[in-house]
Structures are given as C-alpha cells and as structure tokens.
C-alpha cells in the first residue's frame, strides 16, 4: 500500500485505546443512570466522579466540582460566554474578546450583540499575540467578561494568559479562556493563572468526540443553556454521557502523565518540519509565533500559490493536511485568524497547516519535507503571480 | 470531493505557460479572492491555433483552466466564444457547488482573450486606414 501520513490531527484525533477500554463497560454492563439511587446508578455516579477528578487534576482546578461536563468545546464556549454574560448582566454589558478566536467564541459573542451587549475584538500582532495595550484601553466599568483563546489552533500561537489575567482581574472582570487545543498538550494551571472559566475538549486530548468540559471557578455565577433535570449542578441538564465522560477522564489522566514525553517529541518534530519546509524554498514563511507556539502546529505560507492546490497535491502523495484557505472550506473568505495577523488576502490563501499527532514519526516529517519543493515549484510554474526572477 | 476528471487535469494540466507573442490575452479573477487566471491565444485563419494559461488558485481553478484550453484549441473564434462555464464543468464530470462560481472562471478568461484579439485587430486596421 502507498504511504499514508496524517498531518491533520487538529481536525480529529484517534481515541487512545486505553480510553476506549475504560469506556466499554459503561456501554455493556454498567449502563446505569448516575441519578438513580440503586447499585447500577451509584456505579455510574462513581465513574462520573472519578472522571471529574481526572479532568480537574489536569488543569489543577481547586475542586472536582468545578468541572461541568458538556457535549464538547463548542457547547463549553457557548455556556461560558452566554452563561456568564447573561447571569452577570447587572455588572455590565461589554464583552471583550480577540480577533483570533474560534468561531464557537466569535459567534456567541456576535449573537450577544443582538441582545444588547457590546463586543470588542482585540487586535493581535503579526504573530497572533493579543495586544495587551488595547485590552487595557478597552476595559471600562461596563465590561463584564473577557474571553481569550489559550492557544490558537490555526497558527499555534500561545497567548499571554498570565498577563491578560492580571489586567482583567485588576479591573474586577471575569476571564474565560478557550483552552480547546491547548489542554492536554501543555501544562495549564487555572488556579495559578486565576482563570474563572476554561473550556476543555476531549477529542483534542485523544478522548472521544462529542464530550468536553467547562471549568467554572468556585463561586463564579453563570446561567445554563439547557434547562431540565438539573444535572451538573444545574448548569447542564441531561443524563450524563457516562461512557464518553469516562473515556475523556482516562484521556485526561493519560495526557497529564505523558505530557512531558509528547511535548518533547512533538516539539522536536515541529521544529524540524518548520526548518525543513522554510529553508529550501524562497518566499516561504511561518505563520504564528516562532517559539511561543503549540508543539503540534506548523502553519506555513507560500507566496504566489493557493492552499487547496497544495493540499490536493499532498493528498495525491498520501499526506493529509488542512489548508487555512477559504477554497477548501464552506465560506469563501480566507481565515479570519490569518487576516488578523496582518496578512493580505492572497497571502492568507497561500497558507497550509500541518498538525502533528502522537503517531507521527521523524520519517513522516522527512517525507513531507521531501515532497514540498516539487509541489510548490510545480504550482508556482503555473501561477501568473510568480515573479520573473524566481526560476521554478 | 472532486471528480476523477478534475483530478486528472489537476495532476496533468494541459497547455500551461505563456505565449510571448500572443494575439490575445485575457485575465480574470482576483488574487484577493484566491483565483486569478490568464489565457493566451494565438489565432490563425479565425481559429485558435495555440492556447496557454497561467492560473493561481485551487484545484478546480487549475482543472477548469486546463479543460478550457483543450476545448478551445482548434475551434473558430465564434465557436470558442460559445464555450460556457457550464460546458467546462460538465466536461469535467461536474464541480462541487461551492466551486461553480469562484473557481470556474476559465471560460471567462478565454472570452476575454478573444475580445482582446478583436480589439487589437481593430486597432491594427485603424492604423492601416
């Protein structure tokens, strides 16, 4: 069989076999409802409590009860933003976020502007780091919530959450942090950082899809999106998805135990990939911060050519990647994250994203490095934008 | 996502490059939108004797450019002007709906090249008068 290399782990990750093993009994034999008082119910309740402890430990939450299980990062972001804004409306109606957020933050914030809230999208520098001066300037007595991504999944830049938290809390405002792609990959300590609300995703740490969590700091008031039987401290009604939550807990436990190993390995692969992609080809640039970035993210842009045609060329050679470009997605606009870093539309269109995973090897990285010059030069030779002096 | 025919033209595009002494040149699209293409034609006895393209864009943009040059080569200018976006798409075994507008511009570039040829010829006739 032809060689297949997956470098699109950001789009979806395999579930760790240990997490699958952990969840199976909760579908076959221990299928009780944690709200029931009988043995089967209590068995499920115990499993739920254990998973809650594991997720809490991963982010150093002050207590397990601060973890609310949800259907995933999109729900967690919605619950955090709408829940905090609505519940604390008496404190103000201004919400501040950044221009490099995931759509599951952007759109709830935009939605709230139709309900009488005011929204500000902070600018970022060319690396995608949130501008702290603008944050300070925008804070006023109407501001109730600031929502910033821990690390951006498209360009990998890790935001200065510690500094942001200090500024936000000096003004007595709540801070939500979307740690969807960061949690499980890099150490996060919600207590040390003083975070009020933190979004965590299961699949991003090799747990199943369709489950996630929101950390809600002890004493933080939010209102639920779903009303019903009052599960999850009344913040997320609906019978808990025990098998998936158990697997998520296991994935969180593994992520914590093995974090250092994966972090070191992925960082090495990442740095080799960046070097190997950029050095041999002129007009080739790294998107995002050169060092302050996630260990799994390599986002590169090539002048004069378009991302999807690179994606297809790699696909023909057995490599799966994602193009940050519009043409491969449902909307025709280039990524708002790339544009926020100051790129022109045509530059953003020439971007391609490699996201590494635990199963990638140095051999995979070298294979991709070897393919790119041929792919890029072929497309450049067909492009009307390629400058004459560039012989391809 | 793409038909085999589209992938075939993407892998082995026909008639890529420029014609330095082209009789007509047409450029459509905009790099800002992610698609830009230029068609070059050489005309002899009212027929497209040679045609080449340069394209910046996605897989569909490159495949439709290649297919359009194949369809136009050897045709009279009148025949070539009748080639539509829909003709190009159906010759490729269809295109994903999202690509029908943004990336299916090659026939427009062909028409622009033919119009450019007419304009240049008119100008040349004027000079002779």
């Amino acid at each position: 069989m032809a060689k297949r290399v997956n470098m699109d782990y950001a789009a979806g990750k395999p579930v760790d076999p240990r997490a699958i093993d952990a969840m199976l009994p909760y579908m076959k034999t221990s299928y009780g409802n944690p709200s029931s008082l009988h043995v089967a119910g209590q068995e499920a309740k115990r499993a739920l409590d254990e998973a809650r402890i594991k997720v809490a430990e991963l982010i150093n939450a002050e207590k397990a009860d601060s973890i609310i299980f949800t259907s995933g990062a999109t729900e967690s972001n919605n619950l955090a933003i709408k829940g905090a804004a609505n519940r604390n409306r008496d404190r103000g109606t201004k919400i501040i976020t950044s221009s490099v957020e995931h759509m599951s933050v952007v759109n709830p914030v935009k939605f709230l502007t139709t309900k009488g809230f005011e929204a500000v999208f902070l600018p970022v520098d060319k690396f995608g780091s949130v501008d702290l001066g603008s944050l300070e300037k925008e804070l006023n007595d109407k501001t109730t919530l600031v929502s910033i991504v821990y690390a951006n999944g498209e360009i990998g830049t890790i935001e200065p959450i510690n500094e942001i938290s200090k500024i936000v809390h000096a003004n007595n405002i709540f801070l939500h942090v979307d740690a969807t792609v960061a949690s499980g990959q890099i150490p996060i300590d919600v207590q040390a950082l003083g975070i009020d609300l933190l979004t965590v995703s299961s699949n991003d740490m090799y747990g199943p899809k369709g489950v996630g969590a929101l950390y809600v700091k002890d004493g933080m008031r939010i209102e639920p999106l779903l009303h019903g039987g009052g599960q999850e401290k009344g913040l997320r009604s609906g019978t808990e998805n025990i098998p998936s939550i158990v697997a998520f807990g296991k994935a969180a436990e593994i992520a914590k135990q093995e974090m250092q190993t994966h972090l070191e390995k992925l960082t090495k692969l990442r740095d080799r990939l960046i070097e190997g992609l950029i050095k041999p080809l002129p007009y080739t640039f790294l998107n995002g911060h050169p060092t302050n970035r996630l260990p799994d993210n390599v986002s590169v842009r090539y002048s004069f050519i378009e991302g999807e045609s690179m994606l297809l060329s790699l696909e023909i050679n057995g490599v799966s990647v994602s193009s940050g470009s519009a043409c491969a997605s449902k909307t025709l606009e280039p990524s708002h994250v790339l544009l926020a870093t100051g790129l022109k539309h045509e530059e953003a269109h020439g971007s391609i994203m490699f996201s590494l995973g635990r199963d990638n090897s140095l051999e995979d990285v070298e294979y991709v490095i070897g393919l790119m010059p041929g792919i890029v030069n072929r497309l450049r030779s067909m492009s009307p934008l390629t400058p004459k002096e560039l012989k391809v | 996502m793409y038909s085999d025919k589209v992938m075939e033209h993407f892998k082995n595009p026909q008639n890529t490059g420029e014609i330095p002494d082209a009789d007509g040149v047409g450029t459509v699209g905009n790099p800002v939108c992610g698609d830009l293409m230029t068609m070059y034609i050489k005309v002899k006895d009212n027929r497209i004797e040679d045609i080449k393209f340069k394209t910046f864009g996605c897989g569909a943009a490159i495949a439709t450019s290649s297919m359009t040059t194949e369809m136009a080569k050897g045709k009279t200018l009148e025949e070539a002007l009748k080639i539509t976006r829909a003709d190009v798409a159906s010759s490729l075994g269809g295109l994903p709906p999202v690509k029908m507008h943004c990336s299916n511009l090659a026939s427009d570039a062909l028409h622009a090249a033919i119009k450019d040829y007419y304009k240049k010829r008119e100008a040349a006739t004027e000079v002779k008068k």
Side-chain angles (χ1 to χ4, degrees):
Chain A
M1 220 181 90
K3 190 172 173 67
R4 286 246 31 123
V5 173
N6 179 18
M7 287 205 185
D8 192 18
Y9 281 95
K13 291 188 171 72
V15 179
D16 190 299
R18 292 166 287 181
I20 297 174
D21 287 345
M23 80 191 286
L24 288 178
Y26 294 92
M27 290 190 276
K28 287 180 178 165
T29 48
S30 306
Y31 48 78
N33 185 323
S35 298
S36 307
L37 293 176
H38 50 62
V39 175
Q42 290 313 295
E43 211 171 51
K45 173 82 166 60
R46 239 186 339 269
L48 178 62
D49 291 343
E50 276 172 30
R52 207 183 297 282
I53 292 168
K54 287 169 183 168
V55 174
E57 283 175 347
L58 176 69
I59 57 169
N60 194 33
E62 64 280 7
K63 51 199 237 189
D65 259 5
S66 304
I67 302 297
I68 306 298
F69 287 113
T70 67
S71 67
T74 291
E75 187 188 331
S76 296
N77 283 338
N78 271 268
L79 177 59
I81 292 164
K82 292 183 208 162
N86 284 325
R87 181 68 177 82
N88 300 286
R89 198 173 181 134
D90 55 334
R91 293 167 61 112
T93 51
K94 182 173 177 180
I95 301 165
I96 297 175
T97 185
S98 86
S99 47
V100 292
E101 300 298 318
H102 188 262
M103 296 317 287
S104 61
V105 167
V106 174
N107 283 332
V109 170
K110 282 190 178 163
F111 173 75
L112 285 172
T113 63
T114 69
K115 306 288 173 193
F117 286 91
E118 179 195 346
V120 171
F121 293 83
L122 297 173
V124 296
D125 65 15
K126 64 175 179 173
F127 298 125
S129 301
V130 171
D131 185 61
L132 298 177
S134 299
L135 171 63
E136 271 178 294
K137 246 183 277 167
E138 287 291 348
L139 294 176
N140 61 19
D141 54 6
K142 280 194 185 144
T143 314
T144 169
L145 178 70
V146 173
S147 179
I148 305 289
V149 70
Y150 201 108
N152 180 281
E154 259 178 75
I155 58 172
T157 300
I158 299 170
E159 296 297 342
I161 297 297
N162 198 17
E163 286 82 352
I164 290 169
S165 180
K166 278 182 193 145
I167 296 167
V168 169
H169 288 115
N171 290 272
N172 200 24
I173 291 160
F174 298 123
L175 176 64
H176 166 243
V177 175
D178 173 11
T180 302
V181 290
S183 55
Q185 277 214 72
I186 53 176
I188 295 176
D189 186 330
V190 288
Q191 291 187 76
L193 292 166
I195 291 169
D196 300 297
L197 299 155
L198 182 104
T199 293
V200 183
S201 158
S202 160
N203 188 232
D204 286 83
M205 59 177 87
Y206 299 84
K209 294 179 180 68
V211 61
L214 180 68
Y215 159 80
V216 182
K217 187 182 183 173
D218 197 21
M220 173 78 201
R221 301 177 310 169
I222 62 169
E223 71 171 37
L225 299 174
L226 300 182
H227 300 84
Q231 287 87 346
E232 301 294 295
K233 296 201 294 181
L235 292 177
R236 210 286 183 176
S237 285
T239 297
E240 297 87 344
N241 179 358
I242 298 296
S244 292
I245 289 171
V246 167
F248 177 21
K250 187 69 191 173
E253 183 186 30
I254 295 166
K256 186 175 158 71
Q257 283 167 356
E258 301 179 355
M259 188 175 288
Q260 207 49 40
T261 315
H262 296 303
L263 193 56
E264 280 168 24
K265 181 193 149 182
L266 286 175
T267 304
K268 267 186 206 150
L269 294 182
R270 177 197 72 187
D271 291 344
R272 170 62 193 137
L273 186 56
I274 292 174
E275 182 201 29
L277 290 176
I278 290 179
K279 262 196 183 162
L281 285 166
Y283 298 102
T284 304
F285 310 93
L286 179 70
N287 292 320
H289 201 281
T291 50
N292 203 12
R293 70 187 297 132
L294 289 173
D296 65 343
N297 177 288
V298 176
S299 173
V300 176
R301 71 179 187 277
Y302 297 88
S303 303
F304 324 122
I305 55 178
E306 194 271 344
E308 193 219 68
S309 54
M310 285 185 267
L311 181 153
L312 281 180
S313 306
L314 281 165
E315 178 59 34
I316 290 165
N317 287 286
V319 181
S320 309
V321 298
S322 164
S323 93
S325 139
C327 276
S329 69
K330 286 175 196 147
T331 62
L332 297 174
E333 277 290 299
S335 144
H336 66 283
V337 172
L338 292 170
L339 294 180
T341 64
L343 296 186
K344 293 184 194 139
H345 277 62
E346 56 268 43
E347 292 173 317
H349 279 300
S351 290
I352 188 161
M353 181 179 115
F354 303 84
S355 51
L356 302 166
R358 288 179 190 168
D359 297 332
N360 281 133
S361 62
L362 186 60
E363 193 194 336
D364 294 344
V365 167
E366 296 299 341
Y367 177 64
V368 169
I369 290 171
L371 285 174
M372 280 318 277
I375 289 171
V376 171
N377 286 333
R378 183 181 91 97
L379 295 170
R380 280 182 175 170
S381 76
M382 278 191 259
S383 170
L385 302 175
T386 311
K388 290 269 183 280
E389 72 271 10
L390 182 67
K391 293 268 176 274
V392 290
Chain B
M1 172 179 166
Y2 285 130
S3 70
D4 291 347
K5 197 87 187 154
V6 170
M7 288 308 291
E8 200 183 298
H9 276 269
F10 174 71
K11 277 193 234 177
N12 294 306
Q14 303 300 303
N15 307 306
T16 61
E18 292 171 32
I19 302 176
D21 58 341
D23 297 319
V25 182
T27 296
V28 297
N30 189 330
V32 171
C33 312
D35 285 294
L36 179 75
M37 45 191 88
T38 303
M39 286 274 173
Y40 303 85
I41 55 169
K42 197 84 189 144
V43 180
K44 197 181 176 191
D45 302 332
N46 198 45
R47 277 184 193 277
I48 297 181
E49 189 188 45
D50 196 12
I51 178 165
K52 287 196 188 299
F53 77 89
K54 282 217 150 184
T55 291
F56 161 83
C58 63
I62 290 170
T64 53
S65 303
S66 168
M67 178 50 92
T68 301
T69 60
E70 273 202 339
M71 290 167 79
K73 206 168 190 174
K75 288 220 164 65
T76 65
L77 297 177
E78 292 73 24
E79 287 166 344
L81 278 170
K82 283 187 192 139
I83 297 171
T84 64
R85 291 183 181 195
D87 295 337
V88 176
S90 70
S91 301
L92 284 167
L95 284 174
V98 70
K99 301 288 182 182
M100 283 303 283
H101 295 292
C102 74
S103 310
N104 191 5
L105 299 171
S107 53
D108 298 8
L110 168 66
H111 299 167
I114 295 171
K115 277 168 199 155
D116 180 54
Y117 164 72
Y118 283 142
K119 215 159 113 195
K120 278 181 185 153
R121 199 183 55 177
E122 230 169 76
T125 321
E126 291 283 320
V127 171
K128 271 183 208 161
K129 276 182 196 166

